[in-house]
Amino acid sequence: MSEQSQQPPPVWLSFRFKLLLSMLLVVAVVSLGTLLVVQDKVDRNYQNFLGSQFQQQIQLFFEKQEARLAAARKTIEAATANVRLIAALDAGDLARFYSDLGFELSDILGEYAARKGVGPRGKAPFFRFVTADGRVLAPPDSFAGFVSGVEEVDLAEILSGLSSGLHPESQENVGYLSFRSMGREVLYEILISEIYDPASYDFLGDLIFAVPVTPADVFAGVNSESLKTGIFQDLHLHSENIPPDSRAAISELLISLSEGLEVGSPRIDIMGIPHQVFFKRVSTKSRFPPVFHVYLYSLGELRELLQEIRWTVFFVAPVALLIGLGLSLFAAHSLSKPISDLVAGTHEVQAGNYDVRVESRSRDEIGQLTQSFNAMTEGLALKERYRSVLDKVADPQVAAELMSGSMDLGGEVRDITTLFCDIRGFTPLTEGMPPADVIHMLNEHMTALTRVVYERRGVVDKFVGDEIMVLFGAPRGYGDDALNAASAAVAMIGEREKLNQQSRFQFKIGIGLASGEVVAGCMGSEDRLNYTVLGEQVNLAARLCGAAGPMEVLIDALTEERLRGLIQTEPKPDMQLKGFSSASRVYALEKVLAQA
């Protein structure tokens, strides 16, 4: 073992330091996680509460709107059913029509004037009749009221868009419009009443009755200290309790978010205080331009609550940290020595010494860990001895599969290419040769050819005398196994030619290749197994090897078909091979045109 491995680690790498640091991180992470979870839960609950309040306020708004408009709607409906109005309308007498209609509506007009205390100009109610084809019939005088600063032709253009010219039963008849009057936007609540011919019940048009309102009128009984309201219409936020500067910021936010949305709840900072903005479209199938109810909730109380939670967590965390550090110091002191022994033992194992043992000092988990470490080193030593032997008696790929336990010991069907290679004239070549020379010659030959096989992902199945059996595609396939086999066969011929020029042993070889399905697996007795393959194509490869001439590679028809265009071959006369009832088509492999 090197001196570097014997030296104690720096303080920041020691177990004690890491344990203390881990405890610090655990306390910090737990504290931060607790804070985040609590904050998120509080925030979600608060938002759910505000959402519930928002829904209640929406419902309250519609209830108050209905109560506010019920009397006006009843009066307007009774007025529009007056036969005198219909007769004046049929006769085209607009002066009498508007005069009579103003008289019929005098009660609600007077009630409005008494309640609001305003004059006839600027913010007075007005009403207009829109024909079934969308034309606005302007009054000849001021009986119907007017909007200061708005030309009658512009007013007619706006109001004509409220009528589709069709029977409007499926459309909303209450909405909001805003007009710029006297230098500011004035919001009007619009009530549309349909007028029908009492005789034929034909739809004649719409009576549009408009009353100027303020958000205080619309949201009467809704506003409070924590809740501010407004109406967003025509890119303008109408509100009396939202500051003008805040209105501009909220309007910009709603302009960017409200398109295509019916409801939303973004957050915005107003004068340094977070607020939740709830907005909802009044009606999604209305003849009116889009109008959104806006409810602004202050989140100042929520921010204060979250701040209290943070301070509480930040106070508890240091106390927990001090307690944790004390416990960590005690644990680190009792654990450092046996862990240091285990570290030293692992260094020995890393250096290849599997005979190292660590003394067990206790019966707790550390003692059990020490015993497990000793059992592990014993197993590693035994496994290393097994592996050393296995690598010498089996192909490395087969040995790795066996050691990992992933090989199917019962056998499996695989599509592979089998290669057989043996020495031509081996018996007369070795006649009279000393046995040591025979072994040396075979070892030299097999070592060179095995290297060629491994370079092309082949697996040496076995050596049988002067014959070598190679598998391509088992126990693992690579997708180009047939091409690898052909490339290996040509390379083996080339390697033998090179050895014939360098070695004192000169001889020729023959090779046979065949592809197809075989049974692959560990076969043998209960006490001794050998990984190999069995099948007709294996026998065919062996027979082709026996039929091959010196330095010749013979392949079967299936291999030639799979590699057509990738190899250069020469057809041979059909051969009657031993063990096969019919003649086999055979090709001589001359050259590999594409490398795997």
Side-chain angles (χ1 to χ4, degrees), residues 180-229:
R180 189 160 187 81
S181 175
M182 296 184 177
R184 66 187 184 91
E185 294 287 335
V186 178
L187 186 67
Y188 282 80
E189 190 170 56
I190 310 296
L191 178 62
I192 299 178
S193 180
E194 300 85 27
I195 298 180
Y196 298 89
D197 189 322
S200 63
Y201 206 68
D202 290 336
F203 175 61
L204 301 179
D206 293 318
L207 174 64
I208 298 178
F209 183 77
V211 177
V213 293
T214 65
D217 299 327
V218 175
F219 297 101
V222 174
N223 291 301
S224 64
E225 283 294 328
S226 61
L227 173 64
K228 296 177 173 55
T229 56

Side-chain angles (χ1 to χ4, degrees), residues 168-437:
E169 289 180 349
S170 62
Q171 296 182 329
E172 298 291 337
N173 62 358
V174 178
Y176 297 89
L177 288 176
S178 62
F179 300 97
R180 189 160 187 81
S181 175
M182 296 184 177
R184 66 187 184 91
E185 294 287 335
V186 178
L187 186 67
Y188 282 80
E189 190 170 56
I190 310 296
L191 178 62
I192 299 178
S193 180
E194 300 85 27
I195 298 180
Y196 298 89
D197 189 322
S200 63
Y201 206 68
D202 290 336
F203 175 61
L204 301 179
D206 293 318
L207 174 64
I208 298 178
F209 183 77
V211 177
V213 293
T214 65
D217 299 327
V218 175
F219 297 101
V222 174
N223 291 301
S224 64
E225 283 294 328
S226 61
L227 173 64
K228 296 177 173 55
T229 56
I231 292 182
F232 183 69
Q233 196 273 335
D234 194 22
L235 308 182
H236 183 79
L237 179 60
H238 301 267
S239 177
E240 294 181 337
N241 55 6
I242 299 178
D245 294 343
S246 303
R247 273 182 255 163
I250 296 174
S251 296
E252 292 180 5
L253 178 65
L254 295 177
I255 290 172
S256 63
L257 294 179
S258 62
E259 184 175 356
L261 294 178
E262 304 296 336
V263 63
S265 56
R267 288 190 176 183
I268 186 173
D269 280 347
I270 298 178
M271 301 177 64
I273 300 176
H275 286 73
Q276 189 92 34
V277 181
F278 288 90
F279 67 90
K280 180 180 177 60
R281 186 168 177 167
V282 176
S283 175
T284 59
K285 297 180 180 179
S286 175
R287 67 178 79 188
F288 296 94
V291 173
F292 293 87
H293 284 191
V294 179
Y295 295 80
L296 183 66
Y297 291 90
S298 173
L299 301 181
E301 293 182 2
L302 174 62
R303 185 172 65 174
E304 293 177 0
L305 176 60
L306 294 179
Q307 188 65 32
E308 292 180 6
I309 294 174
R310 294 190 194 99
W311 281 114
T312 302
V313 173
F314 290 154
F315 173 77
V316 172
V319 176
L321 179 60
L322 291 176
I323 296 174
L325 289 178
L327 294 176
S328 299
L329 286 173
F330 176 77
H333 179 74
S334 61
L335 293 176
S336 57
K337 178 55 180 174
I339 289 180
S340 298
D341 293 342
L342 286 171
V343 170
T346 58
H347 288 159
E348 292 291 337
V349 172
Q350 185 178 9
N353 180 15
Y354 299 126
D355 295 325
V356 65
R357 298 293 181 268
V358 177
E359 181 183 356
S360 178
R361 300 175 182 272
S362 63
R363 296 184 179 181
D364 57 9
E365 289 81 357
I366 298 297
Q368 295 176 5
L369 177 61
T370 302
Q371 295 174 9
S372 298
F373 176 84
N374 293 333
M376 178 196 69
T377 55
E378 291 178 4
L380 287 174
L382 184 61
K383 184 176 180 180
E384 182 64 20
R385 288 194 290 271
Y386 287 160
R387 181 60 183 264
S388 177
V389 174
L390 187 60
D391 282 346
K392 295 184 185 309
V393 300
D395 184 272
Q397 288 193 40
V398 176
E401 295 285 339
L402 289 171
M403 294 293 289
S404 66
S406 60
M407 182 172 290
D408 187 358
L409 298 180
E412 60 177 341
V413 177
R414 298 193 67 90
D415 192 314
I416 71 169
T417 299
T418 309
L419 181 151
F420 282 88
C421 172
D422 67 3
I423 299 174
R424 306 289 89 161
F426 178 72
T427 300
L429 175 66
T430 58
E431 184 178 358
M433 183 182 294
D437 287 348

Side-chain angles (χ1 to χ4, degrees), residues 10 13 20 51 58 83 121 221 229 365 372 380 391 393 459 503 521 584:
L13 293 179
L20 295 176
I58 288 290
V83 293
R121 298 181 59 84
T229 56
E365 289 81 357
S372 298
L380 287 174
D391 282 346
V393 300
V459 172
S503 175
S584 301

Side-chain angles (χ1 to χ4, degrees), residues 11-59:
V11 175
W12 58 87
L13 293 179
S14 65
F15 171 76
R16 180 175 298 182
F17 178 81
K18 290 181 178 179
L19 184 60
L20 295 176
L21 181 61
S22 299
M23 182 61 67
L24 176 63
L25 292 177
V26 167
V27 172
V29 170
V30 170
S31 300
L32 181 60
T34 302
L35 176 61
L36 293 177
V37 169
V38 171
Q39 284 189 154
D40 181 71
K41 192 170 185 63
V42 170
D43 186 77
R44 286 177 179 271
N45 289 340
Y46 201 85
Q47 187 164 349
N48 291 337
F49 170 74
L50 294 182
S52 175
Q53 291 292 312
F54 170 64
Q55 296 298 331
Q56 293 178 13
Q57 298 296 350
I58 288 290
Q59 182 177 356

